[in-house]
Coordinates of all heavy atoms in Angstrom, one line a residue:
M516 N -67.1 -54.3 175.0 CA -65.9 -54.4 174.1 C -64.6 -54.5 174.9 O -64.4 -53.8 175.9 CB -65.9 -53.2 173.2 CG -64.8 -53.3 172.1 SD -65.0 -52.0 170.9 CE -63.5 -51.2 171.1
Q517 N -63.8 -55.5 174.5 CA -62.6 -55.7 175.2 C -61.4 -55.4 174.3 O -61.3 -56.0 173.2 CB -62.6 -57.1 175.8 CG -61.4 -57.3 176.7 CD -61.5 -58.7 177.4 OE1 -62.3 -59.5 177.0 NE2 -60.6 -59.0 178.3
L518 N -60.5 -54.6 174.8 CA -59.3 -54.4 174.0 C -58.2 -55.3 174.5 O -57.9 -55.3 175.7 CB -58.9 -52.9 174.1 CG -59.8 -51.9 173.5 CD1 -59.3 -50.5 173.8 CD2 -59.8 -52.1 172.0
A519 N -57.6 -56.0 173.6 CA -56.5 -56.8 174.0 C -55.3 -56.0 174.2 O -54.9 -55.2 173.3 CB -56.3 -57.9 172.9
E520 N -54.7 -56.1 175.3 CA -53.5 -55.3 175.6 C -52.3 -56.2 175.6 O -52.2 -57.1 176.4 CB -53.6 -54.6 176.9 CG -52.5 -53.6 177.1 CD -52.6 -52.9 178.5 OE1 -53.6 -53.1 179.1 OE2 -51.7 -52.1 178.8
R521 N -51.4 -56.0 174.7 CA -50.2 -56.8 174.6 C -49.0 -56.0 175.1 O -48.7 -54.9 174.6 CB -50.0 -57.3 173.2 CG -51.1 -58.2 172.7 CD -50.5 -59.3 171.8 NE -49.2 -59.8 172.3 CZ -48.4 -60.6 171.7 NH1 -48.8 -61.1 170.5 NH2 -47.3 -61.0 172.2
Q522 N -48.4 -56.5 176.1 CA -47.2 -55.8 176.6 C -45.9 -56.6 176.2 O -44.9 -56.1 176.6 CB -47.3 -55.8 178.1 CG -48.5 -55.0 178.5 CD -48.5 -54.6 180.0 OE1 -48.0 -55.4 180.8 NE2 -49.0 -53.5 180.4
D523 N -46.0 -57.6 175.5 CA -44.9 -58.4 175.1 C -44.3 -57.9 173.8 O -43.3 -58.5 173.3 CB -45.2 -59.9 175.0 CG -45.6 -60.4 176.4 OD1 -45.2 -59.8 177.4 OD2 -46.2 -61.5 176.4
D524 N -44.9 -57.0 173.2 CA -44.4 -56.5 171.8 C -43.2 -55.6 171.9 O -42.5 -55.5 170.9 CB -45.5 -55.8 171.1 CG -46.7 -56.8 170.7 OD1 -46.4 -58.0 170.5 OD2 -47.8 -56.4 170.7
Y525 N -43.0 -55.0 173.0 CA -41.8 -54.2 173.1 C -41.1 -54.5 174.4 O -41.7 -55.0 175.4 CB -42.3 -52.7 173.1 CG -43.3 -52.3 174.2 CD1 -42.8 -51.9 175.4 CD2 -44.6 -52.5 174.0 CE1 -43.7 -51.5 176.4 CE2 -45.5 -52.2 174.9 CZ -45.1 -51.7 176.2 OH -46.0 -51.4 177.1
P526 N -39.8 -54.3 174.5 CA -39.1 -54.6 175.7 C -39.4 -53.6 176.8 O -39.7 -52.5 176.6 CB -37.6 -54.5 175.3 CG -37.6 -53.6 174.1 CD -39.0 -53.8 173.4
I527 N -39.3 -54.1 178.0 CA -39.6 -53.3 179.2 C -38.2 -53.0 179.8 O -37.4 -53.9 180.0 CB -40.5 -54.0 180.1 CG1 -41.9 -54.2 179.5 CG2 -40.6 -53.2 181.4 CD1 -42.8 -55.0 180.3
Y528 N -38.0 -51.8 180.1 CA -36.8 -51.4 180.8 C -37.0 -51.3 182.3 O -38.0 -50.8 182.8 CB -36.3 -50.0 180.3 CG -35.7 -50.0 178.9 CD1 -36.6 -50.0 177.8 CD2 -34.3 -50.0 178.8 CE1 -36.0 -50.0 176.6 CE2 -33.8 -50.0 177.5 CZ -34.7 -50.0 176.4 OH -34.2 -50.0 175.1
Y529 N -36.0 -51.9 183.0 CA -36.1 -51.8 184.5 C -34.8 -51.0 184.9 O -33.8 -51.1 184.3 CB -36.0 -53.2 185.1 CG -37.3 -53.9 185.0 CD1 -37.5 -54.9 184.0 CD2 -38.3 -53.7 185.9 CE1 -38.6 -55.6 183.9 CE2 -39.5 -54.5 185.8 CZ -39.6 -55.4 184.8 OH -40.8 -56.1 184.6
I530 N -35.0 -50.2 186.0 CA -33.8 -49.6 186.6 C -33.2 -50.7 187.5 O -33.9 -51.4 188.2 CB -34.3 -48.4 187.5 CG1 -35.0 -47.4 186.6 CG2 -33.1 -47.8 188.1 CD1 -34.2 -46.8 185.5
M531 N -31.9 -50.8 187.5 CA -31.3 -51.9 188.2 C -31.6 -52.0 189.7 O -31.8 -53.1 190.2 CB -29.8 -51.7 188.0 CG -29.0 -52.9 188.6 SD -27.3 -52.9 188.0 CE -27.5 -53.4 186.3
S532 N -31.8 -50.8 190.3 CA -32.1 -50.9 191.8 C -33.5 -51.4 192.1 O -33.8 -51.8 193.2 CB -31.9 -49.5 192.4 OG -32.7 -48.6 191.8
D533 N -34.3 -51.3 191.0 CA -35.7 -51.8 191.2 C -35.9 -53.3 190.9 O -36.9 -53.9 191.1 CB -36.7 -51.0 190.4 CG -36.8 -49.6 190.8 OD1 -36.4 -49.3 192.0 OD2 -37.3 -48.7 190.0
Q534 N -34.9 -53.8 190.2 CA -35.1 -55.1 189.6 C -34.1 -56.1 190.3 O -32.9 -56.1 190.1 CB -34.7 -55.0 188.1 CG -34.7 -56.4 187.4 CD -36.1 -57.0 187.3 OE1 -37.1 -56.4 187.7 NE2 -36.2 -58.2 186.7
P535 N -34.7 -57.0 191.1 CA -33.9 -58.1 191.7 C -33.5 -59.0 190.5 O -34.1 -58.9 189.4 CB -34.8 -58.8 192.7 CG -36.1 -58.5 192.2 CD -36.1 -57.1 191.5
D536 N -32.6 -59.9 190.7 CA -32.1 -60.8 189.6 C -33.1 -61.9 189.4 O -32.7 -63.1 189.4 CB -30.7 -61.2 189.8 CG -30.5 -62.0 191.1 OD1 -31.4 -62.0 191.9 OD2 -29.4 -62.7 191.2
C537 N -34.4 -61.6 189.4 CA -35.3 -62.6 189.0 C -36.4 -62.0 188.2 O -36.6 -60.8 188.1 CB -36.0 -63.3 190.3 SG -36.8 -62.2 191.3
C538 N -37.2 -62.8 187.4 CA -38.1 -62.3 186.5 C -39.3 -61.6 187.2 O -39.8 -62.1 188.1 CB -38.7 -63.5 185.7 SG -40.0 -63.1 184.6
G539 N -39.6 -60.4 186.6 CA -40.7 -59.7 187.2 C -42.1 -60.3 186.9 O -43.1 -59.9 187.4
K540 N -42.1 -61.3 186.0 CA -43.4 -61.8 185.6 C -43.6 -63.2 186.3 O -44.7 -63.4 186.9 CB -43.3 -62.1 184.1 CG -44.7 -62.5 183.5 CD -44.5 -62.6 182.0 CE -45.9 -62.9 181.3 NZ -45.7 -63.2 179.9
C541 N -42.6 -64.1 186.3 CA -42.9 -65.4 186.8 C -42.0 -65.7 188.0 O -42.2 -66.7 188.7 CB -42.7 -66.5 185.8 SG -41.0 -66.8 185.3
G542 N -41.0 -64.8 188.3 CA -40.2 -65.0 189.5 C -39.0 -65.9 189.4 O -38.3 -66.1 190.3
S543 N -38.9 -66.5 188.2 CA -37.7 -67.4 188.0 C -36.4 -66.6 187.9 O -36.5 -65.3 187.7 CB -37.9 -68.2 186.7 OG -39.0 -69.0 186.8
R544 N -35.3 -67.2 188.0 CA -34.1 -66.5 187.8 C -33.9 -66.1 186.4 O -34.4 -66.7 185.5 CB -32.9 -67.5 188.2 CG -32.7 -67.6 189.7 CD -31.4 -68.3 190.0 NE -30.2 -67.6 189.3 CZ -29.6 -66.5 189.8 NH1 -30.0 -66.0 190.9 NH2 -28.6 -66.0 189.1
V545 N -33.1 -65.0 186.3 CA -32.8 -64.5 184.9 C -31.3 -64.7 184.7 O -30.5 -64.8 185.6 CB -33.2 -63.0 184.7 CG1 -34.7 -62.8 184.8 CG2 -32.4 -62.1 185.7
D546 N -31.0 -64.8 183.4 CA -29.6 -65.0 183.0 C -29.2 -63.8 182.1 O -29.9 -63.4 181.3 CB -29.6 -66.3 182.1 CG -28.3 -66.9 182.0 OD1 -27.5 -66.7 182.9 OD2 -28.0 -67.7 181.0
L547 N -28.0 -63.3 182.4 CA -27.5 -62.2 181.6 C -27.0 -62.7 180.2 O -26.2 -63.5 180.1 CB -26.3 -61.5 182.3 CG -25.7 -60.3 181.6 CD1 -26.7 -59.2 181.5 CD2 -24.5 -59.9 182.4
L548 N -27.6 -62.2 179.2 CA -27.3 -62.6 177.8 C -26.1 -61.7 177.3 O -25.2 -62.2 176.8 CB -28.5 -62.4 176.9 CG -29.7 -63.3 177.2 CD1 -30.8 -63.1 176.1 CD2 -29.3 -64.8 177.2
E549 N -26.3 -60.4 177.4 CA -25.3 -59.5 176.8 C -25.5 -58.1 177.4 O -26.5 -57.8 178.0 CB -25.4 -59.5 175.3 CG -26.7 -59.0 174.8 CD -26.8 -58.9 173.3 OE1 -25.7 -58.5 172.7 OE2 -27.8 -59.2 172.7
I550 N -24.5 -57.3 177.2 CA -24.5 -55.9 177.5 C -24.4 -55.1 176.3 O -23.5 -55.3 175.5 CB -23.4 -55.6 178.5 CG1 -23.5 -56.4 179.8 CG2 -23.4 -54.1 178.9 CD1 -22.3 -56.2 180.7
K551 N -25.4 -54.3 176.1 CA -25.5 -53.5 174.8 C -25.3 -52.0 175.2 O -25.7 -51.6 176.3 CB -26.9 -53.6 174.2 CG -27.1 -54.9 173.4 CD -28.5 -54.8 172.8 CE -28.9 -56.1 172.1 NZ -30.3 -56.1 171.7
M552 N -24.9 -51.2 174.2 CA -24.9 -49.8 174.4 C -26.0 -49.2 173.6 O -26.1 -49.4 172.4 CB -23.6 -49.2 173.9 CG -22.3 -49.5 174.8 SD -22.5 -49.0 176.5 CE -22.4 -47.2 176.2
I553 N -27.0 -48.7 174.3 CA -28.2 -48.1 173.6 C -28.3 -46.6 174.0 O -28.4 -46.3 175.2 CB -29.5 -48.8 173.9 CG1 -29.4 -50.3 173.5 CG2 -30.7 -48.1 173.2 CD1 -30.6 -51.1 173.8
D554 N -28.2 -45.7 173.0 CA -28.2 -44.3 173.3 C -27.2 -43.9 174.4 O -27.5 -43.1 175.3 CB -29.6 -43.8 173.7 CG -30.6 -43.9 172.6 OD1 -30.2 -43.9 171.4 OD2 -31.8 -44.0 172.9
G555 N -26.0 -44.5 174.3 CA -24.9 -44.1 175.2 C -25.1 -44.7 176.6 O -24.3 -44.4 177.5
E556 N -26.1 -45.5 176.8 CA -26.3 -46.1 178.1 C -26.0 -47.6 178.0 O -26.3 -48.3 177.1 CB -27.8 -46.0 178.5 CG -28.1 -44.6 179.0 CD -29.2 -44.7 180.1 OE1 -28.9 -44.9 181.2 OE2 -30.4 -44.5 179.7
R557 N -25.5 -48.1 179.1 CA -25.2 -49.5 179.2 C -26.5 -50.3 179.6 O -27.2 -49.9 180.6 CB -24.2 -49.8 180.3 CG -23.2 -50.9 180.0 CD -21.8 -50.6 180.4 NE -21.7 -50.3 181.8 CZ -21.2 -51.0 182.8 NH1 -20.7 -52.2 182.5 NH2 -21.1 -50.6 184.0
V558 N -26.9 -51.2 178.7 CA -28.2 -51.9 178.9 C -27.9 -53.4 179.1 O -27.2 -54.0 178.2 CB -29.1 -51.7 177.7 CG1 -30.4 -52.5 178.0 CG2 -29.5 -50.2 177.6
F559 N -28.3 -53.9 180.2 CA -28.1 -55.4 180.4 C -29.3 -56.1 179.9 O -30.4 -55.9 180.3 CB -27.9 -55.6 182.0 CG -26.7 -54.9 182.5 CD1 -26.8 -53.6 182.9 CD2 -25.6 -55.7 182.7 CE1 -25.6 -53.0 183.4 CE2 -24.4 -55.1 183.3 CZ -24.5 -53.7 183.6
V560 N -29.0 -57.0 179.0 CA -30.1 -57.8 178.4 C -30.1 -59.1 179.1 O -29.2 -59.9 179.2 CB -29.9 -58.1 176.9 CG1 -31.0 -58.8 176.3 CG2 -29.7 -56.7 176.2
T561 N -31.3 -59.4 179.8 CA -31.4 -60.7 180.5 C -32.6 -61.5 180.0 O -33.5 -60.9 179.4 CB -31.6 -60.4 182.0 OG1 -32.9 -59.8 182.2 CG2 -30.6 -59.5 182.6
E562 N -32.5 -62.8 180.2 CA -33.6 -63.6 179.7 C -34.0 -64.5 180.9 O -33.1 -65.1 181.6 CB -33.1 -64.5 178.6 CG -34.3 -65.4 178.1 CD -33.8 -66.4 177.1 OE1 -32.6 -66.6 176.9 OE2 -34.7 -67.0 176.4
C563 N -35.3 -64.6 181.1 CA -35.8 -65.4 182.2 C -35.6 -66.9 181.9 O -35.9 -67.3 180.7 CB -37.3 -65.1 182.4 SG -38.1 -66.2 183.5
L564 N -35.2 -67.6 182.9 CA -34.9 -69.0 182.6 C -36.3 -69.8 182.7 O -36.3 -70.9 182.3 CB -34.0 -69.6 183.7 CG -32.6 -69.0 183.7 CD1 -31.7 -69.6 184.8 CD2 -31.9 -69.3 182.4
G565 N -37.3 -69.1 183.2 CA -38.6 -69.8 183.3 C -39.5 -69.6 182.1 O -39.8 -70.5 181.3
C566 N -39.8 -68.3 181.8 CA -40.7 -68.0 180.7 C -40.0 -67.4 179.5 O -40.7 -67.1 178.5 CB -41.8 -67.0 181.2 SG -41.2 -65.4 181.6
H567 N -38.7 -67.3 179.6 CA -37.9 -66.8 178.4 C -38.2 -65.4 178.0 O -38.0 -65.0 176.9 CB -38.0 -67.8 177.3 CG -37.5 -69.2 177.6 ND1 -36.2 -69.5 177.9 CD2 -38.2 -70.3 177.8 CE1 -36.1 -70.7 178.2 NE2 -37.3 -71.3 178.2
R568 N -38.8 -64.6 178.9 CA -39.1 -63.3 178.6 C -37.8 -62.5 178.7 O -37.0 -62.6 179.6 CB -40.0 -62.7 179.7 CG -40.4 -61.3 179.5 CD -41.2 -60.9 180.8 NE -41.7 -59.6 180.8 CZ -42.8 -59.2 180.2 NH1 -43.6 -60.1 179.7 NH2 -43.2 -57.9 180.3
E569 N -37.6 -61.6 177.7 CA -36.4 -60.8 177.7 C -36.6 -59.5 178.4 O -37.6 -58.8 178.2 CB -36.0 -60.5 176.2 CG -34.6 -60.2 176.0 CD -34.2 -60.1 174.6 OE1 -34.3 -59.1 173.9 OE2 -33.7 -61.2 174.0
T570 N -35.7 -59.2 179.3 CA -35.8 -57.9 180.1 C -34.6 -57.1 179.9 O -33.5 -57.6 179.9 CB -36.0 -58.3 181.5 OG1 -37.2 -59.1 181.7 CG2 -36.2 -57.0 182.4
L571 N -34.8 -55.8 179.7 CA -33.6 -54.9 179.6 C -33.5 -54.1 180.9 O -34.5 -53.6 181.4 CB -33.9 -53.9 178.5 CG -34.1 -54.6 177.1 CD1 -34.3 -53.5 176.0 CD2 -33.0 -55.5 176.7
I572 N -32.3 -54.1 181.4 CA -32.1 -53.4 182.7 C -31.0 -52.3 182.5 O -30.0 -52.6 181.9 CB -31.6 -54.4 183.8 CG1 -32.6 -55.5 184.0 CG2 -31.3 -53.7 185.1 CD1 -32.2 -56.6 184.9
V573 N -31.3 -51.1 183.0 CA -30.4 -50.0 182.8 C -29.9 -49.6 184.2 O -30.6 -49.8 185.2 CB -31.0 -48.8 182.1 CG1 -31.3 -49.2 180.7 CG2 -32.2 -48.3 182.8
E574 N -28.7 -49.1 184.2 CA -28.2 -48.5 185.5 C -28.8 -47.2 185.8 O -29.1 -46.4 184.8 CB -26.7 -48.4 185.4 CG -26.0 -49.8 185.4 CD -24.5 -49.6 185.3 OE1 -24.0 -49.1 184.2 OE2 -23.8 -50.0 186.2
E575 N -28.9 -46.8 187.0 CA -29.5 -45.5 187.3 C -28.6 -44.4 187.0 O -27.4 -44.5 187.2 CB -29.9 -45.5 188.8 CG -31.2 -44.8 189.1 CD -31.8 -45.2 190.4 OE1 -31.2 -46.0 191.1 OE2 -32.8 -44.6 190.8
Ligands
LIG1658 ZN1 -40.2 -65.3 183.8

């Protein structure tokens, strides 16, 4: 039996120091879409220019 594991259903947070400015999935460059305040933290919302995956990056 195989369980399908979907990781695209929820956003993944990266710590800024761990995340270079390229997509963790396909390695393409990412583009900063907006900066949101979530739970009092500044969250950088980026979108990959290659696979269009949205990634959230928080400051440490
Ligand atoms: Zn990508």
